[in-house]
Amino acid sequence: MAVIRFDKVSKSYGQTVVLENIDLTIDDNEFLAVVGPSGAGKTTLLRMLLSQEKPSRGRILIDDVPIADEPMPDRGIVFQRYSVFPHRTVLRNVMMGPEWLAAPLTGRLFGMQRAELRDRAQAMLDRVGLGGHAGLYPAQLSGGQQQRLAIAQALMTRPKVLLLDEPFGALDPGTRRAMHTLVLELWREHRMTVVMVTHDLSEAFHLGTRVIAVDKSRHDPHAPHRFGSVVTSDFEAKLRLVRRLHDEAQAAG
Ligand code: ADP
């Protein structure tokens, strides 16, 4: 289970208000896509969900429990670039998260434990289509393969919440489509709650079970930093309706 709740969350940097009084509940197993103009605070929203930033006001809860102050393995993240460790092989990259969790002082497991983790890492690589690349380094992979690796790495700690920050933004359209298919399959298999930031509206509506837009709703021309972004649109109900009509049309042949 992972129900995420933003409870009157605001975020400011100095005098600049970025997000204002966000009240938002994200259901268990929802795939939420967040869209909005550049600088609207989308990444800030994700960074707060990961505990990389703290709300200036309000709180964020997962399953009714305030989130920990530190990034924890219950939340995985994939960025547009640089999610993986360049000096580690593909296999080591996916083993590292669980290794640090199991052996926080040394980051290394031995014997049976290591063998089991290696098998699980190899199975995860097979699942994302990188089974034959375990011994390579990230620089030897294509952009799409690096994002497959980043997703595999994020999933290894079995997160309840997967955060995606423009994960496919740097990929060509063909690779993007293949990644969409993969991420939808993994979302269904792992039953995670997903929050994805994207600039691409068609991507948002293709992947999301719900799409929200964040933007400023108030402007003060004399003090542009005075107001932050709020949730300006929420397309959940519309999406449900469109999906139901689509399913009915398919059922009718
Ligand atoms: P988006 O992801 O929607 O493009 P961001 O969340 O990256 O927007 O940024 C929102 C605003 O917050 C921007 O104006 C940015 O300059 C500001 N901001 C983000 N992080 C910091 C920070 N660490 N210190 C000061 N300002 C920041």
Side-chain angles (χ1 to χ4, degrees):
M1 263 274 286
V3 177
I4 301 168
R5 192 151 68 85
F6 283 77
D7 180 17
K8 299 190 171 49
V9 171
S10 298
K11 179 69 187 173
S12 306
Y13 293 105
Q15 297 292 307
T16 305
V17 184
V18 176
L19 292 164
E20 220 180 292
N21 213 19
I22 303 280
D23 257 329
L24 177 68
T25 300
I26 307 165
D27 282 343
D28 183 38
N29 207 28
E30 188 147 67
F31 196 128
L32 177 76
V34 183
V35 299
S38 191
K42 304 181 296 297
T43 297
T44 303
L45 199 86
L46 277 194
R47 285 167 58 83
M48 286 195 295
L49 251 179
L50 194 65
S51 304
Q52 280 184 349
E53 290 285 348
K54 270 193 178 171
S56 310
R57 256 184 285 145
R59 43 186 207 154
I60 302 172
L61 305 107
I62 296 181
D63 297 334
D64 293 324
V65 179
I67 56 172
D69 283 345
E70 309 261 308
M72 298 290 277
D74 60 344
R75 287 156 281 154
I77 188 153
V78 176
F79 297 104
Q80 184 170 15
R81 288 205 179 92
Y82 312 122
S83 293
V84 298
F85 297 96
H87 303 300
R88 309 277 179 163
T89 63
V90 165
L91 184 69
R92 286 287 294 140
N93 259 285
V94 279
M95 289 174 67
M96 274 175 76
E99 253 184 333
W100 279 108
L101 274 181
L105 292 181
T106 59
R108 277 192 95 75
L109 292 175
F110 297 96
M112 278 285 287
Q113 272 187 311
R114 186 171 175 75
E116 277 172 20
L117 176 59
R118 179 182 285 264
D119 287 350
R120 195 156 76 77
Q122 184 61 50
M124 182 61 83
L125 289 176
D126 290 342
R127 176 64 193 84
V128 301
L130 290 178
H133 298 72
L136 298 183
Y137 286 85
Q140 295 171 288
L141 302 179
S142 69
Q145 288 171 330
Q146 288 194 20
Q147 288 313 74
R148 284 170 188 271
L149 174 58
I151 291 171
Q153 188 189 52
L155 293 184
M156 277 299 284
T157 53
R158 302 189 172 109
K160 297 197 290 184
V161 174
L162 182 65
L163 307 172
L164 304 171
D165 193 359
E166 295 268 1
F168 315 124
L171 305 177
D172 64 80
T175 308
R176 226 169 215 246
R177 273 196 293 279
M179 294 298 293
H180 288 167
T181 306
L182 176 68
V183 91
L184 282 178
E185 286 172 3
L186 292 170
W187 167 60
R188 289 189 186 116
E189 283 166 27
H190 292 257
R191 296 198 57 80
M192 297 167 293
T193 304
V194 176
V195 182
M196 175 183 74
V197 163
T198 177
H199 269 103
D200 181 342
L201 272 182
S202 71
E203 179 171 271
F205 281 94
H206 175 50
L207 296 182
T209 52
R210 179 178 178 190
V211 178
I212 62 167
V214 292
D215 199 357
K216 287 183 198 286
S217 63
R218 296 184 293 172
H219 294 268
D220 180 344
H222 305 294
H225 303 310
R226 181 163 163 219
F227 298 117
S229 292
V230 297
V231 176
T232 50
S233 310
D234 190 335
F235 294 99
E236 185 187 21
K238 283 181 197 150
L239 274 181
R240 288 216 174 115
L241 177 66
V242 169
R243 295 236 155 85
R244 207 189 73 222
L245 293 173
H246 175 258
D247 289 348
E248 283 172 7
Q250 284 219 318

